[in-house]
Each structure stands twice: as structure tokens, then as C-alpha cells.
Amino acid sequence: MREDVENLDIRDVTANWVNAAVLARQIDDRIKALADLSHTPLFFGRLDYLHAPGADQAEGAEGERFYIGRRHVHDAEGDPMVIDWRAPVSQPFYRASTKDPLDVALRRRFGYTAGDLTAYEDEHLSDPAEAATTSKLLQQEIERPRVGPMRDIVATIQPEQDEIVRSGLSGSICVQGGPGTGKTAVGLHRVAYLLYAHRERLARTGTLVIGPNRSFLHYIEQVLPALGELEVKQATVDDLVAHVEIRGTDDAAAAVIKGDARMAEVLRRAVRAHVTLPTEPVVVVRGSRRWRVPAYELEAIVRELLDRDIRYGAAREALPQRIAHAVLVQMERSGEAPDDRVQDAVARNTAVKAAVKAIWPPVDPAKLVLRLLTDADFLAVHADGVLDEDERKKILWARPVRSTKTAKWSAADAVLIDEATDLVQRMHSLGHVVLDEAQDLSPMQYRAVGRRCTTGSATVLGDLAQGTTPWATRSWDEALAHLGKGDAVIEELTAGFRVPADVITYASRLLPHIAPGLTPVASVRENPGFFEVRTTATDAAVIDACAELLRNEGSIGLIAADARVPALTEALAAAGIGHLGPGEETTPDTRLTLVPASLAKGLEYDYVVLDEPRAVVDGEPDERTGLRRLYVALTRAVSGLIVTHTAPLPSQLG
């Protein structure tokens, strides 16, 4: 298939060099999408139907056989050899069971090692004598060691996950899932499915995956390309709102207030306050005639635009046309017959432009936010009845700033500028947005994401128990309201495929203290995993545990409180153990990653050494946030976890 594309001759099918360039790029993208993955087979399953799909079963139509793979493969004549996992005919591979076989006689799963076929396993779903059993190949694939970036899960998608993956484009969906339930993989595969089912529409409107940080995005960036999808953009929330350079930080109290949804009303008031009702008429001179629009008529035009509550910039662009229209009405009454060209000329008249500048001046969003944060009186006027005096004092900057370029903006300030920017000019809406680790966003950050999909849909992924910011989400209903997707369906994944049973049971001891209402994750893995808590006298035990786990196959993560990372870096170097930072790809020679606890969210390793749980908790501004951070750190392991500590463990672990 790839060679067919490479050998295409486009010399006689393009009208000009522009068409040729566009077609050449499309061909190049197609070749990239057809890349072979040496470690991944083209097919992983087979379905034997009792009857041909879509045929009248009463007529006894002969069944068909389909091989299911990560993408469509055809032979030299164009006949399909492998069916894309997203196709409707592939769906029973994920949902059929002995209770509901969906007209499938046989489901075959193939086992692979390094891309070579090594095993297969059959289920005769329509045979009444067939007993429902757990697939050994499925378990082996789920528990396979993880080296390198995140991989696709097309061979192991479960029925409850498949239902979310294949839900329609028109509706938004929120997935609450504990550690190891596969919510990130579900979100990414949902994007791949939507691009398959609605390719033309999403090609026009665009698709975006939003993650918590660059390390996380680097970890997941190969999943969609492996499924042949190359056009999906990835970003963090900070990337979306990068109107200014971030050089400052807020204390927790200020960040919580700046992230509060009430700030949207403060900004709306401040933007609209720039409008001044006219007190003087506008006189337009054209040739020997003078046309006068009185102040009361101008005021009526301005009030009508304000009442419509459209974007500030859109209203400002409409104002000169409204004034020009008032002049044209007078011209028509006097017997003239002006057309649209005359109206455009009047709208560009010097007197009209001067009036618009005085009534509806341009607004620079960054300058507006800077004034709110540095001018106590300006903030007090527009935050009256919204923020109390103590709250206003917490977000005011202590020192004056000369300009927006010299200001030390924080991440929360950039979100405020983004809100102000949208108040001035509406932002472009994408067709679909996936928001991962959503529980850590502030209401204002939710609004920033929501602006990117006002006319599209969203897939929101997260775990309320893993919220580790002072403004972490309290409920998904509240979060979805801020996102502008209050009608989204909320789904909960509770089956754990990644974290071993003993590890998730231990970590779940924290749930009553950090998220009392959540259902604990139930591990469905047969392998209980390796788990040990070691009380030690010295820090050397941490390095010994790393060396011990490096004897196993797979990746190892050493997770520690941020403040302890420098000391552990020196200790690893002294022991001659090479290591990587979060987001760096592991290799057969270097499989250990040293992970600050603040960056552990969303990552996974075959084995984890967790250093000093008490230090992880104490590294956060309050105990609840610290316990949530610890919950995240405890649930990054796929095969085994060693917890080492010299200080006493947090009492909540028992």
C-alpha cells in the first residue's frame, strides 16, 4: 500500500503548482500514516460471523470472516485483508459475549511477541456449551512491560470503554476514572474513532488534545500516529493562553481568586466600561451637503449594541456602519438613492471614525488586566459586589509596572488575559477537544478550554481523587458548567487494568480522606503484583531498591518529593545508575526515570520506588492536597511497588 502511494505520478493531474504542492503534501502524509511499526502487528483478532453482516438471517446467508487490526489493509486488487478496528463490523470484537454473541460464531485473539505471531485463543461465542472465561492473551497484553511512550490499546479495549470510544460527535462526555482504568487511552481512541467516522467535518474544524504538562504530552504523543492519525494537535492549557510570557508566580490564595469564575464578571464589566455614551452629534460632510446624526440617535444606537451583548470588538466594528446607515436614511428622505458603496464610504468618514474612537475605543486585553491588577480604585469599581476587599487585596500587585512587556505575569494572569481577549473578539471553535487530567483546572481555565469548542464537543477525562491544586474540581457537574458543556454525559470507569490489586488496595486507604464519595478502583488483573513497604534507617535503601528492580524487565520510576530530587540525583550518580527525567524516552540501557511527585500524574512505569511518603505529603500547601499527591504517586506502577521510608508514614495509610 505504501509503495503504491510512493509510485503515484501526479504530473498530469494537477492544474498548477499550488495544486501540485498540496497534493504532494497529502501524499507525504499518507506515506507517513502507512508506516510499519516493527513491534506492533497489523492485526490482532478475527471474527467469524454466522451470517454475512447486513444480510437477512432468515435467508441463511453464509457467514463471513474478518481480520481486525489497528488500521485498514487491502491487497493489490483493493480487496480488504484487515478491517480497521473502528469500522462497524469490528465492534462485536469488543462487545460480543456468550450471553450476547452478536451473531459471532468465533472470536480469535492473536498473541504477538516483538511483532511475531506466537499464540492464538478462540472463543466460540454462539456455542451454548462454551463457558465464559477470562482471556489469557488479554491479561498478558494488559500486563506486558512498558518501555518507551504510551501505546495504543486497540487489542484490549473493554466493552465499557468501547461504549465511550464510539459515542457520537454531537454530544460531550465526561469520564471519571481512577488510576489504571484506561481513561486517557479511552480519550485518545475516541479521537481516533471520531476522525474515522467524521473525517471531513473534523478536517475542517480541527481536533485538539489538552494535557497537564509537556512530559505527559510527550508520553502520549505516539498513540494517535500509530493508528494512522497525524493531524491531531496537542497542547497544555498554558499553551492555549500564551498571550504573554510567564515569568512570575502567584501564592495559592491569589491563584485561587484569579481562577475563580467570578473574575469573568469583573473582566466583563471592565471591558464594557470603556464605552462612553455620546453627548455630541456627528456631522458628515459629503460634497456640498452636511448630514447630522443627533446625540440622542447615537445614544440609541450605542445602547442597542450594548443590549445585544455581542463581543466588544464586533460591536465596535458594527458602530460605524450603524452611524452610516442613519446618514443613508436621511439621504433617502431627501430624494437621493445611495447604495452600499456610499454607506461604506460614510462609515470611513473622518467624523464617523473620530466618533467611534471616542464612544467605543479599542481595548488591549493585556493592558486591561494589568490595570485591574495594579490600580486598586479601578479594580474596586469593577469588582464591587463580586470580590470583597480582602480578596481584592490578595490579587493586587505590590509594585507598579511600567508596561505589559515588563510585567511578571503568572499562569493565572494569562488565563485572565485570554478571557479578556475573548470578550473583545470571539475565538475560533474546534470540532472536538479532549481535556485530560481535568480535575486540576480552575473555573477560569475551564472557561478558556470551553471557548475552544463552543460549537464543537468535548471529551473530559479525570479523577476527582487526583486533584492536586488548591483550586481542584469539587464535582464534575460544576466543572462542566464552567466548560459550557452542562449537558455532557458523565461516565465512571471503575475496573482497573493497570495497577496491581495489592497496590490499588493499599492506595485506596487514602480515598475516605481525599474523595469520600468515589468508588474505589477494583483491579481486574490476575497477577496481584509485587508490593512491599520498607522501613529503613538510611537513604541508601532507596538506591538499593532501584538497583533491585532494574534486574527485572521493563521501566522503573523513582518517585520522590520535589525537594528530595537533587539529593537523589547525586545518590544515583554515586551508585553509577543512569537515569532520565519525566518525558524522556527510556531505552534498553537506561530504564530508570527520576520523577518529582508534582510531575508523576498520568505517567506509568512497570515498577515504582516511592521515596518518603511523608515528604510527598509535606511538600504541598495543605494535608488534603498532599494526600492526593501521594495517592497519585502510589498508583503509577504496573507490575510492582516498593515504598521506602525513614520518617513515619502518614497515619491515613494505617
Side-chain angles (χ1 to χ4, degrees):
M1 288 171 67
R2 189 170 58 249
E3 287 173 357
D4 286 346
V5 180
E6 290 172 340
N7 293 328
L8 285 174
D9 186 351
I10 63 172
R11 288 175 296 180
D12 297 329
V13 297
T14 54
N16 52 53
W17 70 269
V18 176
N19 288 349
V22 171
L23 187 55
R25 178 176 176 182
Q26 291 174 341
I27 289 173
D28 188 51
D29 287 345
R30 175 69 172 160
I31 293 169
K32 290 177 182 176
L34 288 170
D36 284 322
L37 302 179
S38 60
H39 61 282
T40 303
L42 283 174
F43 64 94
F44 51 81
R46 191 184 102 188
L47 288 178
D48 291 3
Y49 278 88
L50 289 171
H51 308 87
D56 187 348
Q57 296 184 12
E59 297 177 359
E62 186 178 342
E64 287 190 62
R65 173 178 295 171
F66 300 96
Y67 286 87
I68 312 301
R70 62 183 174 87
R71 53 173 320 148
H72 170 83
V73 181
H74 61 247
D75 61 18
E77 283 70 44
D79 295 325
M81 299 177 68
V82 178
I83 305 299
D84 194 299
W85 66 276
R86 297 167 287 188
V89 76
S90 303
Q91 187 170 340
F93 184 81
Y94 302 107
R95 300 206 190 174
S97 64
T98 52
K99 291 183 179 179
D100 186 10
L102 299 176
D103 200 43
V104 173
L106 178 141
R107 173 170 58 200
R108 173 169 289 180
R109 299 181 191 274
F110 294 97
Y112 287 85
T113 301
D116 294 329
L117 177 64
T118 54
Y120 68 88
E121 183 179 76
D122 289 346
E123 299 170 89
H124 298 86
L125 299 178
S126 295
D127 184 352
E130 182 92 351
T133 58
T134 301
S135 167
K136 297 292 184 184
L137 289 180
L138 193 63
Q139 285 290 334
Q140 290 172 10
E141 176 63 20
I142 289 172
E143 297 175 14
R144 184 157 57 92
R146 281 141 168 83
V147 176
M150 183 180 182
R151 59 178 183 258
D152 67 74
I153 61 163
V154 288
T156 62
I157 294 173
Q158 299 300 293
E160 65 273 20
Q161 295 174 326
D162 188 66
E163 190 171 338
I164 296 170
V165 167
R166 295 178 193 264
S167 55
L169 176 61
S170 58
S172 294
I173 192 165
C174 174
V175 182
Q176 158 63 41
T181 55
K183 56 185 179 295
T184 297
V186 165
L188 294 173
H189 287 69
R190 174 158 159 72
V191 170
Y193 172 77
L194 292 176
L195 286 167
Y196 175 88
H198 308 277
R199 189 166 302 281
E200 289 188 8
R201 179 176 169 184
L202 290 176
R204 293 193 308 269
T205 55
T207 310
L208 175 67
V209 175
I210 302 173
N213 52 57
R214 280 280 145 202
S215 298
F216 178 83
L217 292 179
H218 182 72
Y219 177 61
I220 68 170
E221 67 183 357
Q222 295 303 319
V223 174
L224 289 169
L227 300 175
E229 303 299 345
L230 305 173
E231 297 301 318
V232 179
K233 292 182 171 55
Q234 297 182 353
T236 65
V237 174
D238 289 345
D239 294 333
L240 296 184
V241 300
H243 304 285
V244 291
E245 183 183 355
I246 306 302
R247 296 189 297 150
T249 56
D250 289 310
D251 59 40
V256 168
I257 297 168
K258 289 179 180 179
D260 195 298
R262 293 176 298 163
M263 288 300 299
E265 174 60 18
V266 176
L267 288 164
R268 192 187 73 86
R269 291 181 183 181
V271 168
R272 289 168 67 91
H274 286 76
V275 178
T276 303
L277 293 176
T279 57
E280 299 291 334
V282 172
V283 179
V284 177
V285 178
R286 283 184 59 81
S288 61
R289 302 293 299 271
R290 294 163 62 87
W291 307 98
R292 183 176 182 273
V293 182
Y296 71 86
E297 190 171 348
L298 290 174
E299 182 178 336
I301 292 172
V302 172
R303 289 190 182 280
E304 190 266 337
L305 287 171
L306 287 170
D307 291 342
R308 287 183 60 192
D309 202 25
I310 59 177
R311 294 296 193 280
Y312 184 93
R316 187 173 187 274
E317 291 172 3
L319 181 56
Q321 290 291 336
R322 297 295 179 88
I323 296 173
H325 178 72
V327 172
L328 258 67
V329 170
Q330 294 184 30
M331 290 180 177
E332 289 171 348
R333 287 173 182 167
S334 70
E336 294 188 20
D339 56 18
D340 290 345
R341 289 175 297 176
V342 175
Q343 179 168 326
D344 290 340
V346 173
R348 296 193 299 269
N349 182 274
T350 304
V352 173
K353 290 165 70 174
V356 170
K357 186 175 181 180
I359 298 168
W360 216 292
V363 170
D364 182 307
K367 288 181 179 178
L368 175 75
V369 173
L370 183 63
R371 188 177 176 191
L372 280 171
L373 297 176
T374 56
D375 186 334
D377 294 336
F378 187 69
L379 177 62
V381 168
H382 301 299
D384 184 37
V386 180
L387 303 178
D388 60 36
E389 184 178 357
D390 183 54
E391 288 174 319
R392 296 198 300 269
K393 286 181 179 178
K394 286 179 180 176
I395 64 173
L396 275 170
W397 291 359
R399 298 178 181 177
V401 179
R402 290 184 178 181
S403 70
T404 56
K405 290 185 178 181
T406 59
K408 291 187 177 180
W409 299 106
S410 68
D413 296 335
V415 179
L416 297 180
I417 294 172
D418 191 71
E419 179 84 24
T421 301
D422 185 65
L423 288 167
V424 174
Q425 205 72 44
R426 182 185 293 277
M427 292 184 178
H428 169 69
S429 175
L430 297 164
H432 192 76
V433 169
V434 174
L435 176 61
D436 205 353
E437 299 295 347
Q439 72 279 346
D440 276 338
L441 268 61
S442 70
M444 290 299 284
Q445 287 176 315
Y446 277 116
R447 290 175 62 88
V449 174
R451 284 192 283 279
R452 272 74 184 180
C453 56
T454 50
T455 59
S457 55
T459 299
V460 180
L461 313 166
D463 179 12
L464 296 178
Q466 296 186 58
T468 51
T469 55
W471 50 83
T473 302
R474 289 172 291 186
S475 77
W476 289 123
D477 286 332
E478 181 182 319
L480 292 168
H482 293 310
L483 192 69
K485 304 295 179 186
D487 58 347
V489 176
I490 301 175
E491 301 282 358
E492 187 170 9
L493 296 176
T494 57
F497 303 99
R498 172 171 57 79
V499 186
D502 290 353
V503 174
I504 196 65
T505 300
Y506 184 72
S508 293
R509 296 181 183 183
L510 298 174
L511 281 181
H513 308 281
I514 60 177
L518 285 187
T519 304
V521 172
S523 178
V524 297
R525 295 179 51 164
E526 293 185 347
N527 182 356
F530 169 72
F531 173 61
E532 191 174 339
V533 180
R534 298 177 180 176
T535 306
T536 64
T538 66
D539 287 345
V542 182
I543 308 303
D544 293 341
C546 292
E548 176 185 331
L549 292 179
L550 280 168
R551 300 187 193 110
N552 300 321
E553 182 186 2
S555 59
I556 292 87
L558 170 55
I559 303 177
D562 291 33
R564 285 183 53 79
V565 168
L568 290 173
T569 299
E570 293 181 4
L572 288 170
I577 299 176
H579 68 277
L580 305 165
E584 296 180 331
E585 192 168 329
T586 56
T587 66
D589 296 325
T590 308
R591 295 181 289 119
L592 175 67
T593 304
L594 176 55
V595 187
S598 62
L599 296 180
K601 191 171 297 179
L603 305 179
E604 58 182 31
Y605 303 93
D606 285 296
Y607 296 92
V608 168
V609 178
L610 176 57
D611 169 73
E612 295 294 352
R614 169 51 62 187
V616 173
V617 176
D618 291 345
E620 300 299 327
D622 60 85
E623 185 178 62
R624 187 185 187 201
T625 303
L627 290 173
R628 286 183 167 187
R629 185 75 74 190
L630 178 59
Y631 180 74
V632 171
L634 284 167
T635 54
R636 300 303 95 199
V638 175
S639 299
L641 169 68
I642 297 176
V643 179
T644 64
H645 66 102
T646 55
L649 291 171
S651 60
Q652 292 84 352
L653 283 175

PDB file of all heavy atoms in Angstrom, residues 287-298:
ATOM      1  N   GLY A 287     -19.530  66.358  -0.229  1.00  0.00           N
ATOM      2  CA  GLY A 287     -19.724  67.388  -1.259  1.00  0.00           C
ATOM      3  C   GLY A 287     -20.197  68.681  -0.616  1.00  0.00           C
ATOM      4  O   GLY A 287     -19.587  69.200   0.329  1.00  0.00           O
ATOM      5  N   SER A 288     -21.315  69.199  -1.101  1.00  0.00           N
ATOM      6  CA  SER A 288     -21.870  70.448  -0.554  1.00  0.00           C
ATOM      7  C   SER A 288     -22.909  70.195   0.526  1.00  0.00           C
ATOM      8  O   SER A 288     -23.477  71.146   1.073  1.00  0.00           O
ATOM      9  CB  SER A 288     -22.507  71.266  -1.694  1.00  0.00           C
ATOM     10  OG  SER A 288     -23.564  70.521  -2.297  1.00  0.00           O
ATOM     11  N   ARG A 289     -23.166  68.934   0.838  1.00  0.00           N
ATOM     12  CA  ARG A 289     -24.204  68.603   1.824  1.00  0.00           C
ATOM     13  C   ARG A 289     -23.575  68.215   3.157  1.00  0.00           C
ATOM     14  O   ARG A 289     -22.495  67.629   3.223  1.00  0.00           O
ATOM     15  CB  ARG A 289     -25.067  67.445   1.319  1.00  0.00           C
ATOM     16  CG  ARG A 289     -25.775  67.680  -0.021  1.00  0.00           C
ATOM     17  CD  ARG A 289     -26.841  68.774   0.090  1.00  0.00           C
ATOM     18  NE  ARG A 289     -27.880  68.435   1.025  1.00  0.00           N
ATOM     19  CZ  ARG A 289     -29.002  67.757   0.713  1.00  0.00           C
ATOM     20  NH1 ARG A 289     -29.210  67.377  -0.559  1.00  0.00           N
ATOM     21  NH2 ARG A 289     -29.919  67.502   1.620  1.00  0.00           N
ATOM     22  N   ARG A 290     -24.306  68.538   4.221  1.00  0.00           N
ATOM     23  CA  ARG A 290     -23.908  68.171   5.587  1.00  0.00           C
ATOM     24  C   ARG A 290     -25.035  67.338   6.199  1.00  0.00           C
ATOM     25  O   ARG A 290     -26.191  67.751   6.181  1.00  0.00           O
ATOM     26  CB  ARG A 290     -23.656  69.426   6.443  1.00  0.00           C
ATOM     27  CG  ARG A 290     -22.456  70.243   5.968  1.00  0.00           C
ATOM     28  CD  ARG A 290     -22.497  71.666   6.560  1.00  0.00           C
ATOM     29  NE  ARG A 290     -22.427  71.672   8.008  1.00  0.00           N
ATOM     30  CZ  ARG A 290     -21.284  71.672   8.708  1.00  0.00           C
ATOM     31  NH1 ARG A 290     -20.121  71.668   8.067  1.00  0.00           N
ATOM     32  NH2 ARG A 290     -21.291  71.695  10.022  1.00  0.00           N
ATOM     33  N   TRP A 291     -24.649  66.196   6.717  1.00  0.00           N
ATOM     34  CA  TRP A 291     -25.633  65.304   7.322  1.00  0.00           C
ATOM     35  C   TRP A 291     -25.335  65.180   8.814  1.00  0.00           C
ATOM     36  O   TRP A 291     -24.232  64.868   9.215  1.00  0.00           O
ATOM     37  CB  TRP A 291     -25.587  63.928   6.662  1.00  0.00           C
ATOM     38  CG  TRP A 291     -25.711  63.995   5.169  1.00  0.00           C
ATOM     39  CD1 TRP A 291     -24.718  63.959   4.249  1.00  0.00           C
ATOM     40  CD2 TRP A 291     -26.919  64.167   4.442  1.00  0.00           C
ATOM     41  NE1 TRP A 291     -25.205  64.079   2.982  1.00  0.00           N
ATOM     42  CE2 TRP A 291     -26.579  64.209   3.067  1.00  0.00           C
ATOM     43  CE3 TRP A 291     -28.277  64.300   4.781  1.00  0.00           C
ATOM     44  CZ2 TRP A 291     -27.515  64.370   2.065  1.00  0.00           C
ATOM     45  CZ3 TRP A 291     -29.212  64.447   3.779  1.00  0.00           C
ATOM     46  CH2 TRP A 291     -28.836  64.481   2.429  1.00  0.00           C
ATOM     47  N   ARG A 292     -26.356  65.414   9.625  1.00  0.00           N
ATOM     48  CA  ARG A 292     -26.170  65.482  11.084  1.00  0.00           C
ATOM     49  C   ARG A 292     -26.958  64.346  11.771  1.00  0.00           C
ATOM     50  O   ARG A 292     -28.170  64.231  11.591  1.00  0.00           O
ATOM     51  CB  ARG A 292     -26.658  66.837  11.591  1.00  0.00           C
ATOM     52  CG  ARG A 292     -26.464  67.070  13.087  1.00  0.00           C
ATOM     53  CD  ARG A 292     -26.908  68.500  13.424  1.00  0.00           C
ATOM     54  NE  ARG A 292     -26.711  68.797  14.828  1.00  0.00           N
ATOM     55  CZ  ARG A 292     -27.599  68.525  15.784  1.00  0.00           C
ATOM     56  NH1 ARG A 292     -28.748  67.949  15.463  1.00  0.00           N
ATOM     57  NH2 ARG A 292     -27.344  68.844  17.040  1.00  0.00           N
ATOM     58  N   VAL A 293     -26.197  63.528  12.542  1.00  0.00           N
ATOM     59  CA  VAL A 293     -26.837  62.486  13.354  1.00  0.00           C
ATOM     60  C   VAL A 293     -26.828  62.983  14.801  1.00  0.00           C
ATOM     61  O   VAL A 293     -25.757  63.117  15.405  1.00  0.00           O
ATOM     62  CB  VAL A 293     -26.079  61.143  13.255  1.00  0.00           C
ATOM     63  CG1 VAL A 293     -26.807  60.068  14.070  1.00  0.00           C
ATOM     64  CG2 VAL A 293     -25.938  60.700  11.807  1.00  0.00           C
ATOM     65  N   PRO A 294     -27.972  63.304  15.367  1.00  0.00           N
ATOM     66  CA  PRO A 294     -28.019  63.902  16.703  1.00  0.00           C
ATOM     67  C   PRO A 294     -27.536  62.944  17.795  1.00  0.00           C
ATOM     68  O   PRO A 294     -27.542  61.721  17.614  1.00  0.00           O
ATOM     69  CB  PRO A 294     -29.490  64.253  16.884  1.00  0.00           C
ATOM     70  CG  PRO A 294     -30.229  63.372  15.937  1.00  0.00           C
ATOM     71  CD  PRO A 294     -29.314  63.150  14.780  1.00  0.00           C
ATOM     72  N   ALA A 295     -27.172  63.528  18.938  1.00  0.00           N
ATOM     73  CA  ALA A 295     -26.616  62.744  20.045  1.00  0.00           C
ATOM     74  C   ALA A 295     -27.597  61.699  20.554  1.00  0.00           C
ATOM     75  O   ALA A 295     -27.206  60.571  20.892  1.00  0.00           O
ATOM     76  CB  ALA A 295     -26.185  63.672  21.180  1.00  0.00           C
ATOM     77  N   TYR A 296     -28.906  62.041  20.613  1.00  0.00           N
ATOM     78  CA  TYR A 296     -29.880  61.092  21.153  1.00  0.00           C
ATOM     79  C   TYR A 296     -30.006  59.856  20.245  1.00  0.00           C
ATOM     80  O   TYR A 296     -30.231  58.737  20.713  1.00  0.00           O
ATOM     81  CB  TYR A 296     -31.249  61.750  21.356  1.00  0.00           C
ATOM     82  CG  TYR A 296     -31.996  62.069  20.076  1.00  0.00           C
ATOM     83  CD1 TYR A 296     -32.794  61.113  19.448  1.00  0.00           C
ATOM     84  CD2 TYR A 296     -31.908  63.331  19.498  1.00  0.00           C
ATOM     85  CE1 TYR A 296     -33.469  61.399  18.275  1.00  0.00           C
ATOM     86  CE2 TYR A 296     -32.573  63.633  18.319  1.00  0.00           C
ATOM     87  CZ  TYR A 296     -33.356  62.658  17.715  1.00  0.00           C
ATOM     88  OH  TYR A 296     -34.027  62.940  16.558  1.00  0.00           O
ATOM     89  N   GLU A 297     -29.857  60.071  18.918  1.00  0.00           N
ATOM     90  CA  GLU A 297     -29.923  58.939  17.995  1.00  0.00           C
ATOM     91  C   GLU A 297     -28.663  58.079  18.115  1.00  0.00           C
ATOM     92  O   GLU A 297     -28.731  56.840  18.069  1.00  0.00           O
ATOM     93  CB  GLU A 297     -30.089  59.439  16.556  1.00  0.00           C
ATOM     94  CG  GLU A 297     -30.416  58.322  15.569  1.00  0.00           C
ATOM     95  CD  GLU A 297     -30.795  58.845  14.185  1.00  0.00           C
ATOM     96  OE1 GLU A 297     -31.027  60.066  14.041  1.00  0.00           O
ATOM     97  OE2 GLU A 297     -30.848  58.019  13.263  1.00  0.00           O
ATOM     98  N   LEU A 298     -27.514  58.718  18.286  1.00  0.00           N
ATOM     99  CA  LEU A 298     -26.274  57.969  18.516  1.00  0.00           C
ATOM    100  C   LEU A 298     -26.368  57.148  19.802  1.00  0.00           C
ATOM    101  O   LEU A 298     -25.948  55.985  19.847  1.00  0.00           O
ATOM    102  CB  LEU A 298     -25.082  58.926  18.610  1.00  0.00           C
ATOM    103  CG  LEU A 298     -24.645  59.632  17.321  1.00  0.00           C
ATOM    104  CD1 LEU A 298     -23.558  60.649  17.641  1.00  0.00           C
ATOM    105  CD2 LEU A 298     -24.122  58.614  16.306  1.00  0.00           C
TER     106      LEU A 298
END
